[in-house]
Each structure stands twice: as structure tokens, then as C-alpha cells.
């Protein structure tokens, strides 16, 4: 773990109540995010990435039935805060770029009004005019020309790529310490995706905060992130510096993800289809290694759960073969 981590998640477990019983969405997750670092979270759909992001924001769904562990921001446990204290942190210290900007942007307000409101928490002393001019400058910063026209526009009048740039501008205007991007390019085509990834890279150079970048694509993660945590069925199964992890993927799940990614015949949307089988039932979580069912390297020992063990300095994997 990083000594002066900005965010430190320890033994985080989260359940959701459902008609079938408790869904154990996260189990004993540890993650540390250093200052000015970009940390990638990768894993198939359903592995718990968004649950982790929402927990950080204090926006877990209403049917959340259990939260144990710690989420510390500069040593302060966010899970112990009252709702209004969390509300105060959101949009000031922690901001999120959602996968689908249409769900996060309000269709009945102009972009200008929404960018002004987004800054109120951070700059309560500034008036609307000043906030609007900050918004215009930020739109230019994220590659939107003619900001005056865009500020007067409604979300549906912009293209998908432009809406995502607006979301990024909105998050940056809050000057957060932690920016969470939850699959921010999934709804976009590959050309626009590449542009948005370049934009995030540019921003990182002058942004003083940390970024948690969630993606199901290892390719994107390798381009952007300093460190990676690979999640599977609610657990971190491998984590470490991006370069070391890509050079020596040590968990069979990471290896399988990489193999899918490299195959040039798979389209982005179906990259993961080639790992046989599906995620285990998170209501009735099987004992032993969580990936055993689908693992080509499985052997007797896998009926017991492997702990994360060090492969190289800072690089851990939860597999008996390590
Ligand atoms: N509100 C909820 N109620 C019940 N189950 C949920 C809820 N939200 C998420 N889940 C389940 O929790 C698991 C993790 O989901 P999620 O964090 O969205 O994964 P990811 O973002 O990696 O796709 C999945 O099995 C999902 O179906
Ligand atoms: Mg998700």
C-alpha cells in the first residue's frame, strides 16, 4: 500500500438486499490511490466496479443492506460521515464522470446553468457571471469551441461526444481531489473514445488530483493508468503497477482478459465473450477460489480461497500458482 495514499479502501464489503437474498457485490476489497495517480479498475460487467465507485461517492442504492470496512480520504473514514457531510464532499473533493452523460445531465436546464450549479459547492462566494465565465473557459479546455453557444444549449442539442466533454468539464470545475470516471467512453464510438482518452491524459498533466478510471477494456487502462486493480465477482484478484502487471499478468483471469483484448477479431463490445462461462452467483458465493469454475489452470488447492500474495514489489495476485 502507498504510504501517503489519498484514498485508502480497506476490507470493504457491500451487500444488496434482493428477493433472492443478499447479493455480496464486494467482498474484502482493498485499494489504495496515491496522490496524482491514475488507478484503473478493470473487470467484466458485474464484477463490482460501479459499486466501488458509488461507495466512494456515498451514493449507494437504497437496497444496500451491509457495508463493512473503511473508505478513507486523507485518513478520514467516509463511511462514518452523515449524509449532509458526504453531500458537501461530493462536487468539492470527489467528482464523478458517468458512463452515460444523459443520465447525469438534466434535460430541462441549459448546459450553462448546470455548469454553474456544479461549481456552487466549491465556490460559494462567486456569482453567476463569474461561474459562467469559468465554465466557458473550461469548455474550451475540454475541446469545445464556441462555448457561449454551448452554454445556452440544452443537453439534447449536443452530440454524445460533446456531452461527455461537458461532463468532464463539469467534474473538473469542481476541482476535485478524486475524479472517478466510470466507463466514460463506453457509449461513444472508437474515434471519439480515442479523443476523450487523449483529453483525460492531457488533463492529468495539469490536474493536481487523482483519477480512478473504470473500464472493461485493458487496452484503455494500459494507455492511461499508473496502477491497475483487476476485479472479478466482487474481489480484487490482481493489482499492481500497470507496466509490471501487463508484462507479467499473474492471475489466470488477468491473462484471459489480456488474451481477449489482443484478439483482433473481437469487437470492443464482445471482447470478453471468449472467456468461457459466466460470473458466479453472488447470492450464493461458492467457496474456494472465486474464478476456479472458469479457470484453465485449476487444481485441487483451488477449493480453498487463495489470499493476495506478492508477485513483485507492489504487484499482488490471488492465485495458488503465485
Ligand atoms: N441495487 C442493486 N441491487 C441488487 N444487486 C445489485 C445492485 N447494484 C448492483 N448489483 C449487483 O452487484 C454486482 C456488481 O455490480 P456493479 O458494481 O454494477 O458491477 P460493474 O460495474 O463491474 O459492472 C452485480 O452482480 C450486480 O448485479
Ligand atoms: Mg459498472
Amino acid at each position: 500500500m502507498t504510504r501517503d495514499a489519498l484514498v485508502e479502501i480497506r476490507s470493504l464489503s457491500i451487500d444488496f438486499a434482493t428477493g433472492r437474498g443478499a447479493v455480496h457485490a464486494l467482498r474484502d476489497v482493498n485499494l489504495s490511490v496515491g496522490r496524482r495517480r491514475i488507478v484503473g479498475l478493470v473487470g467484466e460487467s458485474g464484477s463490482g466496479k460501479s459499486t466501488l465507485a458509488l461507495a466512494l461517492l456515498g451514493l449507494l442504492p437504497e437496497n444496500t443492506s451491509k457495508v463493512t470496512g473503511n473508505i478513507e480520504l486523507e485518513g478520514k473514514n467516509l463511511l462514518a460521515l452523515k449524509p449532509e457531510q458526504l453531500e458537501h464532499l461530493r462536487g468539492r473533493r470527489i467528482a464523478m464522470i458517468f458512463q452515460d452523460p444523459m443520465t447525469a445531465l438534466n434535460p430541462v436546464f441549459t448546459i450553462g446553468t448546470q455548469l454553474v450549479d456544479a461549481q456552487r459547492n466549491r465556490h460559494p462566494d462567486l456569482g453567476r457571471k463569474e461561474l459562467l465565465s469559468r465554465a466557458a473557459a473550461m469548455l474550451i479546455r475540454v475541446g469545445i469551441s464556441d462555448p457561449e453557444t454551448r452554454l445556452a444549449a440544452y443537453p439534447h442539442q449536443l452530440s454524445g461526444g460533446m456531452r461527455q466533454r461537458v461532463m468532464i468539464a463539469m467534474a473538473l470545475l469542481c476541482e476535485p481531489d478524486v475524479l472517478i470516471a466510470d466507463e466514460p467512453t463506453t457509449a461513444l464510438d472508437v474515434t471519439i473514445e480515442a479523443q476523450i482518452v487523449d483529453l483525460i491524459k492531457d488533463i492529468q498533466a495539469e490536474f493536481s488530483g487523482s483519477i480512478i478510471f473504470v473500464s472493461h477494456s485493458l487496452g484503455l487502462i494500459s494507455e492511461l493508468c499508473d496502477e491497475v486493480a483487476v476485479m472479478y465477482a466482487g474481489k480484487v484478484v490482481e493489482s499492481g503497477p500497470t507496466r509490471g502487471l501487463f508484462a507479467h499478468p499473474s492471475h489466470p483471469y488477468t491473462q484471459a482478459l489480456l488474451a481477449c483484448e489482443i484478439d483482433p477479431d473481437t469487437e470492443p463490445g464482445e471482447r470478453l465473450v471468449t472467456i468461457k462461462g459466466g460470473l458466479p452467483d453472488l447470492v450464493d458465493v461458492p467457496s474456494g477460489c472465486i474464478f476456479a469454475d472458469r479457470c484453465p489452470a485449476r487444481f485441487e488447492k483451488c477449493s480453498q480461497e487463495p489470499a493476495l500474495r506478492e508477485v513483485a514489489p507492489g504487484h499482488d495476485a490471488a492465485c495458488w500458482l503465485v
Side-chain angles (χ1 to χ4, degrees), residues 132-150:
L132 265 178
S133 85
R134 282 173 51 90
M138 187 58 83
L139 286 184
I140 291 175
R141 178 74 200 80
V142 301
I144 295 181
S145 55
D146 194 8
E148 311 305 334
T149 311
R150 308 306 179 192

Side-chain angles (χ1 to χ4, degrees), residues 8-87:
E8 191 82 68
I9 295 176
R10 299 179 213 268
S11 304
L12 182 66
S13 296
I14 293 179
D15 287 358
F16 299 123
T18 72
R20 287 203 311 124
V23 172
H24 306 290
L26 290 183
R27 296 183 316 289
D28 200 20
V29 166
N30 292 292
L31 184 77
S32 144
V33 181
R35 280 167 209 283
R36 305 205 55 173
R37 306 293 276 175
I38 306 190
V39 175
L41 285 185
V42 68
E44 276 162 287
S45 180
S47 50
K49 307 181 298 296
S50 294
T51 301
L52 188 64
L54 293 173
L56 264 162
L57 282 166
L59 289 177
L60 286 167
E62 287 200 341
N63 64 330
T64 305
S65 53
K66 184 190 103 174
V67 181
T68 56
N70 271 12
I71 302 179
E72 289 173 8
L73 177 65
E74 285 182 324
K76 193 183 215 184
N77 187 11
L78 300 186
L79 295 177
L81 296 183
K82 297 195 184 83
E84 57 274 20
Q85 291 174 305
L86 271 170
E87 168 104 48

